[in-house]
Structure formats: structure tokens, C-alpha cells
Amino acid sequence: MAEIGQKTLLDSGWLAARSTDVQLTGTQLTTTHPPTSPTSPWMEAVVPGTVLATLVENKVVGDPFYGLENETILDIADSGREYYTFWFFTKFQCKLSGAQHLDLNFRAINYSAELYLNGHKRVLPKGMFRRHSLEVTDILNPDGSNLLAVLVHPPDHPGSIPPAGGQGGDHEIGKDVATQYVEGWDWIAPVRDRNTGIWDEVSISVTGPVKIIDPHLVSSFFDRYTRVYLHATTELENRSSWVAECSLNIQVTTELEGSVCLMEHLKTQHVSIPPRARIQYTFPQLFFYKPNLWWPNGMGKQSLYNVSITVDVKGHGESDSWGQLFGFRKIESHIDSATGGRLFKVNGQPIFIRGGNWILSDCLLRLSKERYKTDIKFHADMNLNMIRCWGGGLAERPEFYHYCDVYGLLVWQEFWITGDVDGRGVPVSNPNGPLDHDLFMLCARDTVKLLRNHPSLGLWVGGNEQVPPADINTSLKNDLKLHPFFKSQSENITSVEGLSTAYKDPSQYLDGTRVYIQGSMWDGFGNGKGGFTDGPYEIQNPEDPFKDNFYKYGFNPEVGSVGIPVAATIRATMPREGWQIPLFKKLPNGYTEEVPNPIWQYHKYLPYSKPGKVHDQIELYGTPKDLDDFCLKAQLVNYIQYRALLEGWTSRMWSKYTGVLIWKTQNPWTGLRGQFYDHLLDQTAGFFGCRCAAEPIHVQLNLATYFIEVVNTTAEELSNVAIEASVWDLEGACPYYKVFDKLSLPPKKVVSISEMKYPKSKNPKPVFFLLLKLYHVSNYSIVSRNFYWLHVSGGDYKLLEPYRNKRIPLKITSKTFIKGSSYEVEMKVLNKSKKPDPKTLTYKNNFAVRNDDSDFDMTSLEPIPDTRADLKQPTGLFQRLYRQFSRESDGLRVAEINGSDGGVAFFLNFSVHGAKMEHEEGEDSRILPVHYSDNYFSLVPGEEMSIKISFKVPPGVSPRVTLRGWNYHHGVHTVL
């Protein structure tokens, strides 16, 4: 028998077939003629997912992510909507007893559907962003075996793609309440089925006579966050024909060490619900004294409490239950008078926003908890604190928000409006939004109810570079108006009694706790008035973001640049003709124009030059010889480019800027621009440039003024610290060394320390390295470390080319921990070059522990037992390293890499692979994703760095870690 409160996912065992290939009705499919196997025309279906995801999975069409194969797939504009209208079929077991009820739930479909269950028809109305919950108690089969068929129709207005492409194609998709990117943009090719399908979770859930619907949790704060109240309101539906006498319980627990839960609150209320009635019930407030608060990434811990609500019905026992992780936090924002930018506060503390724009995880909507976890943790790894869900993408899913809650990413969620499609495109598009404004608002309200309990959700925005049509905008403003307590004048409300006496309970609002902004360039974003004042979106001179004229306004919602991935990703996603690097065409004005191959052009490659403005940044290192050379030099540029963008903004924290969002952090497709990691989940060096620049306390070089600066974004003063600045040349000498000590760094401030005297001194080297370290004087623990490679004004990096031949000796010590398929590897890398100057005591790079830093937790993992002593050893330069990893010595494995040269071990990067040493050309041996505490790092003579690496290994695969670098291009292979 079914269990009350149980939700069962229907995420496997689905079949699919094109509707025109099925000659049976929905009634027949779910009674007398169900499909029994994936034989033509039926195939195994991807649910959740799209029609195109199913076709790709079954190899009916090519992989639209690979090469030019998307061009071989029929577009819906050419095929007609019927071609992508599909049946989806599955079976499920459910047998009810007594007063039990069953709901069949679709969290989202695109775009509309007819549903047949055991021969009975139901309709799932139009709208991509609405939930469907159908009570099907009366149409279940008595034996418990149930047949379900769903006929899914594409959007009503899928549009067509003009020959020149464009932003959102011909903009027709804007007539529907659906995602708009699917007609193509300047960063993605058109999605042929326009994301038709059952694209989100399908489930069945069992209740008793009374059902809990959409509880709303809100916290209010008093006496400087020491007295906190939890407000909760829920809807209750009595499905019976008699009065339901209910005991309604709310319970709050917090998890302690070792999975032990501490009960914070348990409150029981009696409620009577009339027959067939749906009521709203508000609990009495629950009081908490000094609860642990939820903080964004970089500001503190992400403390979460388990809130559960259950309802028991007299004579029937438990009828339904609901649970949610909830964080106590208050988000406020206002337009800052000093900068004109929107300034956010969390729990009363100003937060300088450094975040990224997000489209969606995968353009075939193959969404999963595992992928979301990686995506969001990557953003936390980069030290970002906000993600903007762009209006042409999705209302993101609860799993996305769950991991934003866990990792501390504030979310800016837009509704489904873009300037290009909704009134500001080329040609000018329809300004009236979707044809059905009521449907838009139904989807908007349902989305708010789906997401509002997540502490990470920071604000609602009407649209991207556009405001919604006037009536929709007015409705959103009204529905999402702030409760008076959450307005700036809320200081007048000094007690929960005053709050509840003067106003209705905040949990009775649709939201009431987050600001609604009508568009992404209004009210504190861009110029605040809707002018196209975001961008730029191209390669920059690294010093430009530090200059006063780079950007005029206080908060830039979009600034973007390049994003070529590593060579292995190019080989994995393109045929050989796509491995051809761009031609470097010299122009009369001295600049270089890059001419990419057709496959790169199709994948929206963004050049590393801007003729007339920016010289080719890859060519600064010398003309690349082949794909590996090009991609490695591109990683050097990626690192510099994104570090400079974020450091330039941070340099003017509060004096000129309140925040910036990078366009964009990733691609939902195999695009070649604007990304910190590629669609295969391998990071570019820009990822680690961002991680460096966005750390909460950061030492940096202002590339426009050559002043050393320290940024403290935290609420604590940092005292008794010092900065060590050392310059290293290509011969391994240290021509400049200086310590700036006795420093105190006030909270929420940027402090200019001193101008760098090098390279203004006599006879500077044309290319040199600068290492900055901010450390505690008491114990030499590192707070921030920042490594630059620089050239003199007007110069280039071409002297780094012969530097590749230097062989710098290294010592590598490692320890590996394993738990199931999860590996944690701690690698210590030492540059064994002789230190020219023994004064420094920071060479071990013992980093100070951040209070909020829980990225790499090895405490639950066990050391790997040594079972490989007799493995055949590989030959070559690094066989000693392999041998050391093949045995265990007090838990540590040590290797020596001999080299006769001294100097900086430059641009080292780790990667993880399957242990097979020989691979076919183009075969991708990488294990992905991998989380690194740092990568693309450099070590000066005598310096040591500890890198933590974590990953999961596919079944049957033995991992090896490879270390490569500018001086180590053949790679150091280590089998774990």
C-alpha cells in the first residue's frame, strides 16, 4: 500500500515516439495497446528532458553540441510543429487504501499536453513555467498497475531563424510564455525543437484527506538580529465530504555534528476545515534567540534549518507532510547616493556584488542534481556571491536554488522578457510581450510560490534590458510589493507584536521580502533608466578596467569577454577540421584580425583582438603554432583578462561601484566565448583568475597606476598584517623585494598601500614576474597571494617562449583519500630552485583558514590503501613520480623532478584522467568534473603550494593526475 506523504519520482522507464508515427489514441495506449518495449516507432525517452534530448540519446539525430551537426537536424520552422509533437509513455505502481488520495505532478512541461491515465483524458494547459498537479485517485486501476501517456506539443509560436541569425531569431517565440534563447543568440545556435518536452520533474504523491499546499516561510529580525521570529502560512485542502479535524504541526531542527539533529521548535495547532474547502492558515510566530544566520559566500556560513509541517486528521492519522531547508537572513537594497548603483545588504552588512550571468545548465534541459551541484559549487569556488538568471533562460529549478542555498550564491531571478524579443530587437520586436498576459502572470505567481522559501533568492527582475508590458509590470509590482517590515523604514517596527498588530503577517504575502526591479538596466543597474548601458563584451587591455572612463555607472549587470577552452575540449567537441586555429591577418593599422575556421565561427568564437582598440592578446606571446599552443596561450590571456576585470571593479568598491556581473560564467552548449568553464565541465584559466580576484580579502596591483592595493570586503578589521612584494626575472633572480608591514585594513574598504618602484627603476627586465603576499605577521600565514606576469609598457611576452625550455626542479608530495567513488588528493608542489634571498618566511604558503571556507572537507575520507606495488611502471622522465604514488610511506608519497635551471615554475596546472596511458587521437581521457583549490599557478624559487583536488571516478576507471605547465609541456603523470 502507498505511504502517506511519500513522493515517488517517475524519472525512468519512459518511452517516446513521434505522434505522426503512432496510429493509436491515448485511450488505446493506456488501456488495450500499451507499448511494451523500445521498438520502432518507440524509443527510450529522456524524462526529465526534451524531445531533442531523446532523439540525441537514441542517435536518431546527430549531437548538436559536436562540430556542425546541429546544421543536420531539422529545425521546427522547416518541419512544422507536428514533427516535434511526441508521445511519452510510462507505467507506475500505486495502490491506495482507505481515505488516501493520489496526485500526479508535472513540475513543468513545454508547452502544452494531453494526458491519458488508464484511458482517462486530462489536459495540461499552455505555459512553460507552471506546475500541474492532478488528483487521479478515481482513475487508478484497482490492481495498482497504471498506464500513463502524455502527448506534448511544442510552443505555439516557435518562429524561424533569419539567414543572419540574430538575437532570438525572428522573435516569434516571445508570443508564448516560454524560454527565448531557443531561437539562437550570439552565443548559441538555435535549438531545433525549441525545448519541447517533459522538461522537469514528474512524480506521484500520496496524501490523506487533507493536503498541504505551498507553505510560505518568512523570518523577521529585532534587536540587531538577536531576536528572530519565523512566520509560516500554508494552504490546506480538505478533499473529503466531511469536516476534517486536524492537528497541524510545525517543527524546526538543525543538524549538529555527526548527523545529530537538535530540535529547535515543535508547535501543534488545532484546525477545522469544512468539507471540500481550501483554507489559508497562519501559524503563531516561532521565537528564536540568536539563531545561526545564513550568509552569502565570502561573508560567513550558510546555516540552514530543517522546517517540516505535518497535518494529522482525526480518525485517519497523518495526512500529509512538507519539508524545506530554510535560512534566517534579511536582504535589503537601495540606490546608493555615492555611486548611483544598487547597494545590497545581507543581515545589515553591505555586500559588494561580484557575480556572473547564468543562462541554464544544458540547452537540451538534461538537468540533474549532480550537474547543478557542480555548476553552483564552481561559482562558489570562484568566490562569486551572486548568479543572475537571465530573462531569456529559465525560471531556475528548486535543485538549482538548493545548491545556491548550500554554497551561498545570491540569485537574481528574471522573468521571461528580453529587450531583443520584447520590443528592442533588430528588427524591432513586439513590445507587448506574450499574447496571453494572464498566462504570463499565472506562471509568474506559480514560480514565486515554487522558489520563495530559498534564502539564496535575492531579488526579482521583470526582464533583461527591457521592462514587461505595462499591465504585466503593474501586476508584478503589486503582487511582489514589499511587506512594510522589509522596506527601508522598517526600523520603526521594533517588535513582532508591533509588526503583527499594524500589518498582516509577512508570510501571508505572495513574497513580500525581496525587492522587485522592473528591468535589468533600471533602478540602480546600468544608468538606471533603461539605456543600453551594460557591456562591453569583448577582449580588453588588462589595465583598462582600472581606469575611470571604463564604465560610468555604479552597477554593471553584464560585462563579458573571451572564453576559449583547453585544447582537449576542442578535440572532444569538433572533428579534425575544427582543430585548425584562427588565421592571424595583419591589418594596415598594425592590428591583427583573427579569422576563425567555420566550425569555430558556428560555435560563436570571440576573438582575442579588437582591431583599432586592443592588439591580439594571444600574439603577445608569439604567433601560436598549433591547437595546443593556441589554447595554452589563450589560458594565459583568460587568466589575466578576468582577473583584471574583477580587480578593476573591486579597486573602486563603494567609491565608484557597488557590483558587477560577468557575462557569462558558462555556456549551456559548446560555445567558444564568455565562459569560466566549458560545457564538459572543465575550467578555463579564467576561472582561477576570477577565484583569485574575488577572494574576500585580496591584495592586488592596480594595472593603471601600479599601486599595490588591498581589498577587505569583510566586516572585520584586519590588523598586524604585512605585504611582501617580490619581482622575479626570467633568469631566476629577484631584482626587487620589499615588505610593507604594520598594516591595519579597515572593514569594507580598499586601501592603497604604495606604488611599485619596479619597473620604474633603472634597467627593468622586459618581462618579469611579480608576487604579492598579504600575511599575518604573527605566524606568517597567508591571507592572500597574487602572482602576475608583466611586461614593460609597450612590450610583449615573447621572451616567455624560450623560457619554456627551462627545466625547473620540483618536489611533489601527495596524500590521497578515498570514500567509495570519491577521491580527495592533496598535492604539495615545491619549486626546488635555490632561494636568492632568505629573508622571506612565507615561502611555505600556509594559508589562513577562512571562517566560511568549507570547500574541501577531507575529514570523512580514508587514506587509500596501497594495493598496487606490483603494477608495471611506465618509462620516461617521470617514472620515479609514478613509483612513489604506487606505494605508501606514512601516508605520504614523494617524488622528485630533476632540473638544472633555476627560476619560476610557471603556469602549472593539474588535470585528472583515466589511468590508460595511450589514447586514440581526439579521445578524451579526462575525468570531469574536478574541483581544485587552485590551478594555473606559478611558484617562485623555494616556494611551496598545497593544492587540494576532489572528484568522483566512473565505475571501473583508475584515475591519474597530470601536472603540466609552461616549463612542463610533456606532463607529469601520476597514477593514484
Side-chain angles (χ1 to χ4, degrees), residues 664-741:
K664 36 192 193 6
T665 54
Q666 48 75 247
N667 277 308
W669 179 65
T670 46
L672 298 180
R673 63 166 62 195
Q675 58 187 357
F676 288 127
Y677 59 94
D678 59 48
H679 191 262
L680 303 183
L681 299 177
D682 200 355
Q683 298 97 328
T684 72
F687 182 107
F688 298 98
C690 170
R691 178 178 173 88
C692 172
E695 57 188 349
I697 302 171
H698 180 62
V699 61
Q700 65 185 40
L701 180 68
N702 185 312
L703 295 178
T705 65
Y706 259 63
F707 270 75
I708 297 171
E709 301 170 339
V710 179
V711 181
N712 182 4
T713 68
T714 74
E716 304 296 326
E717 180 176 8
L718 200 63
S719 57
N720 198 26
V721 292
I723 294 171
E724 177 187 271
S726 58
V727 170
W728 301 83
D729 63 24
L730 298 183
E731 285 71 50
C734 181
Y736 177 89
Y737 179 87
K738 187 169 178 60
V739 173
F740 306 90
D741 55 7

Side-chain angles (χ1 to χ4, degrees), residues 352 550-551 556 645-653 657 659-660:
F352 187 70
F550 185 69
Y551 187 71
N556 192 344
L645 273 175
L646 284 165
E647 286 185 341
W649 247 271
T650 306
S651 178
R652 305 294 189 89
M653 179 177 73
Y657 302 128
V660 62

Side-chain angles (χ1 to χ4, degrees), residues 334-341 343:
H334 65 273
I335 298 175
D336 177 44
S337 59
T339 64
L343 192 155

